[in-house]
Protein backbone atom coordinates (compact mmCIF):
# COMPACT_ATOMS: atom_id res chain seq x y z
CA UNK A 1 0.00 0.00 0.00
CA UNK A 2 2.80 2.44 0.84
CA UNK A 3 4.39 1.84 -2.58
CA UNK A 4 1.13 2.68 -4.31
CA UNK A 5 0.54 5.81 -2.20
CA UNK A 6 4.05 7.10 -2.86
CA UNK A 7 4.58 6.18 -6.51
CA UNK A 8 1.22 5.93 -8.28
CA UNK A 9 -0.72 8.95 -9.58
CA UNK A 10 -3.82 9.57 -7.43
CA UNK A 11 -6.32 8.64 -10.21
CA UNK A 12 -4.70 5.19 -10.51
CA UNK A 13 -4.62 4.39 -6.80
CA UNK A 14 -6.94 1.61 -5.65
CA UNK A 15 -9.36 2.46 -2.86
CA UNK A 16 -11.50 -0.70 -2.83
CA UNK A 17 -11.35 -4.38 -3.76
CA UNK A 18 -13.83 -7.18 -4.36
CA UNK A 19 -13.13 -10.82 -3.64
CA UNK A 20 -15.09 -13.32 -5.74
CA UNK A 21 -15.13 -17.08 -5.39
CA UNK A 22 -15.48 -18.56 -8.86
CA UNK A 23 -14.91 -22.25 -9.59
CA UNK A 24 -11.77 -22.98 -11.58
CA UNK A 25 -13.78 -24.72 -14.32
CA UNK A 26 -15.91 -21.59 -14.88
CA UNK A 27 -12.79 -19.42 -15.19
CA UNK A 28 -11.17 -21.87 -17.60
CA UNK A 29 -14.26 -22.04 -19.81
CA UNK A 30 -14.50 -18.26 -20.06
CA UNK A 31 -10.76 -17.77 -20.67
CA UNK A 32 -10.63 -20.51 -23.29
CA UNK A 33 -13.78 -19.16 -24.99
CA UNK A 34 -12.28 -15.75 -25.73
CA UNK A 35 -12.01 -14.79 -29.39
CA UNK A 36 -10.62 -11.74 -31.20
CA UNK A 37 -11.30 -10.65 -34.78
CA UNK A 38 -8.24 -9.15 -36.43
CA UNK A 39 -10.45 -7.71 -39.16
CA UNK A 40 -12.80 -5.59 -37.01
CA UNK A 41 -10.79 -5.66 -33.74
CA UNK A 42 -13.80 -6.87 -31.69
CA UNK A 43 -13.58 -9.29 -28.78
CA UNK A 44 -16.19 -11.84 -27.85
CA UNK A 45 -16.63 -15.06 -25.91
CA UNK A 46 -18.07 -18.28 -27.36
CA UNK A 47 -18.26 -20.12 -24.01
CA UNK A 48 -21.76 -21.02 -22.81
CA UNK A 49 -21.17 -21.57 -19.08
CA UNK A 50 -23.84 -23.33 -17.01
CA UNK A 51 -22.23 -24.46 -13.79
CA UNK A 52 -24.24 -24.37 -10.55
CA UNK A 53 -25.15 -20.73 -9.85
CA UNK A 54 -23.00 -19.50 -12.75
CA UNK A 55 -25.11 -18.97 -15.87
CA UNK A 56 -23.09 -17.02 -18.44
CA UNK A 57 -24.25 -17.22 -22.07
CA UNK A 58 -21.83 -16.56 -24.91
CA UNK A 59 -21.15 -12.93 -25.81
CA UNK A 60 -21.11 -12.98 -29.59
CA UNK A 61 -20.54 -10.08 -31.99
CA UNK A 62 -23.53 -8.71 -33.86
CA UNK A 63 -21.67 -8.52 -37.15
CA UNK A 64 -18.08 -8.16 -38.29
CA UNK A 65 -17.53 -4.75 -39.86
Amino acid sequence: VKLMENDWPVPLQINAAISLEVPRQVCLQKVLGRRHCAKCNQNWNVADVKCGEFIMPPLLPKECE
Side-chain angles (χ1 to χ4, degrees):
V1 175
K2 292 290 184 195
L3 175 68
M4 180 178 62
E5 289 175 354
N6 295 335
D7 296 337
W8 290 14
V10 173
L12 299 179
Q13 292 182 12
I14 299 169
N15 59 11
I18 298 174
S19 176
L20 302 174
E21 292 186 26
V22 180
R24 181 177 174 83
Q25 187 59 31
V26 171
C27 293
L28 285 173
Q29 286 180 35
K30 290 308 277 186
V31 167
L32 295 175
R34 291 182 58 127
R35 300 294 185 269
H36 176 81
C37 178
K39 182 178 171 185
C40 66
N41 206 31
Q42 289 187 45
N43 294 302
W44 65 91
N45 200 302
V46 297
D48 187 11
V49 176
K50 294 177 183 144
C51 180
E53 298 176 2
F54 294 90
I55 308 297
M56 300 179 341
L59 302 172
L60 302 174
K62 302 273 190 265
E63 189 174 308
C64 184
E65 300 175 1

